[in-house]
Every structure is written in C-alpha cells, then in structure tokens.
Amino acid sequence: MENHTYNEHVLLLEGLNVTHQSSYPAFIILLVIYIFTMVANIGLTVLICMERSLHQPMYILLCNMSFNDALSITTFIPRVLSDIFKASAERYITYVECAIQAFCGHMFATTGHTILMIMAFDRYMAICNPLRYATIMNNTMLVKLCVFAWGVAFLFVAVLIGLSVRLSRCRSNIFNPFCDNASLFKLSCESVLINNIYGLFFTTIFFITSMGSVALTYIRIAMVCVRSKSKSLNSKALHTCFTHLAVYLIMLMTGFIIVFLHRYPQWSNHRKMASIIFPLVAPCLNPIIYGLQSKEIYKVGKNMFQSKIMSLRL
C-alpha cells in the first residue's frame, strides 16, 4: 500500500523508461515518426477535402480515418516526448489531464475500428450492389454513418471512463507510459468488479462485432466474385479490398496484442513497450497503404504537387 499523504489531484506518470544514453535516439525516432504520421494524415485529409473528384463515400470515410489517426497519435506522443528527458520522479500529470488522455485514447481507437467496419460495408455495396450503390450511399447516408462511427465510440468510452472516474483514489502512481482506463481504476482501493465486467463486455462485443461484420462482408464479396467469373470485377475487388483488409488486420492485431499483454502482469515491460509502439503502427502505415494503392489519390496528389512546382518556377 502506498503512502496516503499525497495530492489527490496530481499523479506520477512512469513515462517511457529508457536509459540516459538511449533517451536521445528514442526521442528522435518517436519525433520523426510523429511528424511523418501527422504530415501524411493531415495531408491526406486536406487533399480529400480540397479535391472535388475525391468527394466519394470511400474517400470521405478515408478522410475520417486519417483525421482520427492524427488525433489518436497526438493524444499520447507529445506527452511521451516531453517526459522522456525528465527524471522519473518529475513526470507529474494532473488527474483531469490523465482522465482526458485515457478518454481520448480509447475513443479514437474505437472510432478507428468503427470507421473500418463502415468502409467494409461501403466496399460490399460497391462490389455486390453496384447499381444501387449511388442510391444507398448518398450524402445523407454517409453523414449518418460518420456520425454513428464517432457517436458510438463516444458513448461506449464515456461509460468506460466514467466508471473509473467515479472511484475514490488511494494511489498516485501511473505505471504506464501514458494514461488509459486500466491505469485509472488501478488508482483505487475499491472493488473494480463493475469496471472489469463492463471492460470485458465492451472489448468482447466490440471485437466480435468488428470481426464478424468484416468477415461476413468479405465472404459475401468473395462469393459474388466467384459467381461472376469476371476478371474486371475480381481485379476491382482485389484492388479496393486489399488496402482496407491490410489496414484492418494491422489495427486488429495491434489491439489484440495490447489487450493480451494487459492480462499478464509479469510481462509489464513488454506491455509498456507495446503500448508505445503499436499505437504508432496503424496511423503511420494507413496513409502509406492507401496513398500507394489508390490510383485516384496518387494521381490527384501528383498533379497538385506538379502544379505547385510550376507555379513556384513562374
């Protein structure tokens, strides 16, 4: 049991534990990844917003995902970078800041999965019901789907964090590089049974719904492709679905690994390292995968870049 004489509004954050010699390389690597991820995702978001030819359901959903990825990585990387050169005894964070960071981290992670589920539905409609695609995936439906993606994540995560915030606190140490829900309820000496039940319910329902909907969608797409025996349809399905499936599997595996490591306290060092590395993977790779695979985005980006070069020469 920790000493009870502490300021209940200030917490001690463990941060990223690296040696003094490793702090500079770690800082540079994280900073470069952060800058690249922000530039790539914000650039992709601005490109889609500015170019009218990209105002299609697939790219609007991609715009949502890129914007979400930029917010997600900003939730924790700047804080980790600011603490990396501080002594472990000086890495303080207020409880309110910790709760906000935990809420944002879980919300943006959940929103990323819901957007990918909706993107799977969009690909299903485009390939399996091309004649009805424009009618169903109209602007009204697209707005509803985007609001649903963000709204569902906000509602479920608000309950998740709310259950932890309601608890009294008898500890002040966060044994993690940044704040998350588990870090919040571990500050309490009360029973956290309700937190564990809801957390298990939330995780189970979320992953089952996510994997089930994506699996069902791709099974239906595969059945349509097999029945049609059309090379053009199969090529289109392979091209458009590969990027989505690759991004989804990357996000799913990183989430599974972090959840799995949380269940084994003896692997706490591996979990702490994974909690820093894996949230960087999807936001960093998503714009690369979509930017390289999407001919439309590549073409528009190339044309805009060339026009800027020409204008500067003139």
Side-chain angles (χ1 to χ4, degrees):
M1 182 67 67
E2 298 177 18
N3 194 330
H4 283 255
T5 59
Y6 64 90
N7 186 343
E8 64 177 355
H9 300 297
V10 178
L11 306 174
L12 185 61
L13 189 65
E14 184 179 40
L16 184 63
N17 286 331
V18 293
T19 63
H20 179 71
Q21 293 80 6
S22 303
S23 58
Y24 289 97
F27 179 86
I28 293 172
I29 291 172
L30 288 176
L31 181 62
V32 169
I33 293 175
Y34 176 68
I35 293 174
F36 170 79
T37 304
M38 290 296 292
V39 170
N41 281 288
I42 293 177
L44 193 58
T45 302
V46 172
L47 180 66
I48 294 173
C49 291
M50 292 179 60
E51 183 59 40
R52 293 184 62 87
S53 63
L54 297 178
H55 291 179
Q56 303 173 31
M58 181 177 69
Y59 299 116
I60 296 298
L61 292 172
L62 175 58
C63 180
N64 273 265
M65 188 175 70
S66 297
F67 180 66
N68 178 77
D69 286 343
L71 294 177
S72 176
I73 197 173
T74 303
T75 299
F76 63 95
I77 286 297
R79 177 74 200 199
V80 172
L81 290 174
S82 67
D83 287 344
I84 201 168
F85 294 117
K86 293 181 182 178
S88 57
E90 298 177 356
R91 295 168 181 169
Y92 293 108
I93 185 172
T94 65
Y95 183 78
V96 173
E97 290 175 333
C98 187
I100 292 174
Q101 187 181 62
F103 173 82
C104 292
H106 286 283
M107 179 182 168
F108 296 138
T110 306
T111 303
H113 277 274
T114 55
I115 291 173
L116 285 172
M117 284 190 281
I118 295 172
M119 292 176 77
F121 172 74
D122 173 73
R123 292 301 84 206
Y124 166 76
M125 294 303 304
I127 295 171
C128 300
N129 294 285
L131 298 179
R132 300 176 57 198
Y133 178 76
T135 304
I136 296 175
M137 295 299 293
N138 52 38
N139 292 336
T140 303
M141 175 60 74
L142 195 58
V143 170
K144 289 180 180 179
L145 291 174
C146 291
V147 171
F148 172 81
W150 291 84
V152 166
F154 180 89
L155 179 62
F156 275 90
V157 174
V159 175
L160 182 73
I161 302 300
L163 289 173
S164 297
V165 172
R166 70 183 174 87
L167 299 170
S168 61
R169 301 185 296 279
C170 64
R171 303 182 180 94
S172 60
N173 284 9
I174 300 291
F175 297 103
N176 209 37
F178 53 89
C179 295
D180 57 10
N181 182 58
S183 301
L184 287 177
F185 69 69
K186 287 179 181 178
L187 296 173
S188 177
C189 294
E190 297 181 35
S191 172
V192 293
L193 179 62
I194 296 177
N195 299 71
N196 286 325
I197 291 174
Y198 181 80
L200 181 62
F201 166 79
F202 170 69
T203 304
T204 303
I205 293 297
F206 180 70
F207 276 120
I208 289 177
T209 304
S210 174
M211 291 186 295
S213 61
V214 172
L216 181 61
T217 299
Y218 277 101
I219 289 173
R220 293 283 297 171
I221 291 175
M223 291 173 61
V224 169
C225 292
V226 170
R227 290 173 183 173
S228 68
K229 297 180 180 180
S230 171
K231 291 184 178 181
S232 60
L233 178 63
N234 293 343
S235 176
K236 177 184 177 182
L238 181 63
H239 179 75
T240 59
C241 293
F242 171 78
T243 52
H244 174 269
L245 191 58
V247 169
Y248 178 77
L249 290 177
I250 290 171
M251 186 174 291
L252 188 67
M253 291 305 298
T254 55
F256 261 132
I257 291 173
I258 293 175
V259 171
F260 175 78
L261 291 176
H262 257 294
R263 306 303 175 195
Y264 296 90
Q266 65 270 28
W267 293 347
S268 60
N269 291 331
H270 297 83
R271 174 182 58 81
K272 292 169 187 176
M273 187 61 65
S275 65
I276 290 292
I277 295 175
F278 287 127
L280 293 172
V281 173
C284 182
L285 293 181
N286 289 352
I288 298 176
I289 295 173
Y290 273 100
L292 293 177
Q293 286 293 318
S294 176
K295 295 180 180 179
E296 291 81 3
I297 292 178
Y298 178 79
K299 182 179 179 181
V300 170
K302 182 180 178 181
N303 291 338
M304 290 184 66
F305 179 76
Q306 289 178 344
S307 63
K308 290 290 184 181
I309 295 296
M310 292 297 295
S311 62
L312 289 175
R313 289 179 177 177
L314 295 176

